[in-house]
Amino acid sequence: MGRAIIISGSPGSGKSTLSSRLAKDLKMEVINLSKLVEVEELFSEIDIDRDTKVADLDRLIPRIVELIDRSEGVVIVEGHYADIVPSNLVDVAIILRTHPKILAKRLESKGWGERKISENVQAEILGSCTFNALEAYGKDMVYEIDTTNLSEDETASIARKIIQEKPEEYKVGRINWLSLLEADKELDKYFS
């Protein structure tokens, strides 16, 4: 039976880039949830307003479990809702965080609409992916990396360190965009 490493975070935080890099460096398979939902048509509806497919969790979760069980070793499960993987299959959850200003620019460069950008930036400010991972896996399994000013190499190096050593310095609680933006008097810009 296989095991999973969770790579989660807001869209635009670097999940796919990191997952591909770790898969290459550590010789692991990647399960990209968005691609899996698309390719295997594991969605229940299409949200036209948000230009996205809504995953059918009743079909998706058993499929993920099946893919992890079939693997020989550890697989990377990547996606902003990767916290759906059952905790008994997870070794560690790494949440990528990005400063809201930078995240907004990244999403704009992808051609996303204003509403979709706003919703995702707000979710990042509130730490939604971290909160969901904590609810699913508990604080001892969840780590955060601030990718705002890191290169791909630096992010991958930190992720490998988390996977291998689980250092305290990357435990949840260091990154708090809400307090930072409030202190800088910029919070209203994102929640108006």
Side-chain angles (χ1 to χ4, degrees), residues 8-15 95-106 120-121 123-125 144-150 155 175 177 180-181:
S8 188
S10 297
S13 61
K15 298 178 304 296
I95 314 302
L96 302 184
R97 305 292 305 273
T98 305
H99 191 285
K101 284 183 188 177
I102 302 301
L103 185 64
K105 288 179 185 174
R106 289 180 187 175
N120 281 283
V121 169
E124 174 63 22
I125 292 168
E144 293 178 307
I145 301 173
D146 179 355
T147 65
T148 304
N149 297 310
L150 297 179
T155 303
I175 302 168
W177 303 133
L180 181 70
L181 292 170

Side-chain angles (χ1 to χ4, degrees), residues 74-89:
V74 180
V75 299
I76 297 166
V77 179
E78 179 252 307
H80 70 277
Y81 56 95
D83 55 89
I84 63 171
V85 177
S87 62
N88 65 311
L89 300 175

Side-chain angles (χ1 to χ4, degrees), residues 114-176:
E114 190 175 317
R115 178 178 175 192
K116 192 170 179 180
I117 292 170
S118 179
E119 287 177 355
N120 281 283
V121 169
Q122 288 172 355
E124 174 63 22
I125 292 168
L126 297 173
S128 295
C129 290
T130 298
F131 176 80
N132 293 338
L134 285 169
E135 287 284 301
Y137 308 122
K139 65 179 180 156
D140 292 336
M141 291 179 60
V142 182
Y143 295 80
E144 293 178 307
I145 301 173
D146 179 355
T147 65
T148 304
N149 297 310
L150 297 179
S151 69
E152 180 182 322
D153 288 341
E154 291 167 325
T155 303
S157 176
I158 293 168
R160 284 192 303 274
K161 185 175 183 177
I162 290 170
I163 291 165
Q164 295 162 352
E165 302 171 24
K166 298 184 176 55
E168 288 293 317
E169 66 192 282
Y170 297 105
K171 286 282 196 178
V172 171
R174 300 176 308 107
I175 302 168
N176 187 335

Side-chain angles (χ1 to χ4, degrees), residues 12-131:
S13 61
K15 298 178 304 296
S16 296
T17 301
L18 175 61
S19 296
S20 295
R21 176 67 181 269
L22 288 176
K24 180 182 170 196
D25 292 352
L26 302 175
K27 313 252 184 296
M28 295 179 180
E29 176 188 349
V30 175
I31 300 171
N32 177 304
L33 294 180
S34 295
K35 288 181 183 173
L36 181 64
V37 166
E38 179 81 26
V39 169
E40 296 192 12
E41 298 184 1
L42 299 172
F43 54 91
S44 56
E45 64 180 293
I46 298 174
D47 184 335
I48 295 170
D49 290 340
R50 290 177 178 82
D51 187 30
T52 190
K53 292 183 171 80
V54 178
D56 181 344
L57 299 183
D58 291 335
R59 295 188 303 144
L60 178 59
I61 294 171
R63 180 65 175 133
I64 294 167
V65 170
E66 177 187 349
L67 292 170
I68 294 170
D69 281 347
R70 283 196 331 210
S71 70
E72 298 278 325
V74 180
V75 299
I76 297 166
V77 179
E78 179 252 307
H80 70 277
Y81 56 95
D83 55 89
I84 63 171
V85 177
S87 62
N88 65 311
L89 300 175
V90 176
D91 286 339
V92 66
I94 300 172
I95 314 302
L96 302 184
R97 305 292 305 273
T98 305
H99 191 285
K101 284 183 188 177
I102 302 301
L103 185 64
K105 288 179 185 174
R106 289 180 187 175
L107 298 177
E108 286 169 12
S109 73
K110 291 181 178 215
W112 285 25
E114 190 175 317
R115 178 178 175 192
K116 192 170 179 180
I117 292 170
S118 179
E119 287 177 355
N120 281 283
V121 169
Q122 288 172 355
E124 174 63 22
I125 292 168
L126 297 173
S128 295
C129 290
T130 298
F131 176 80

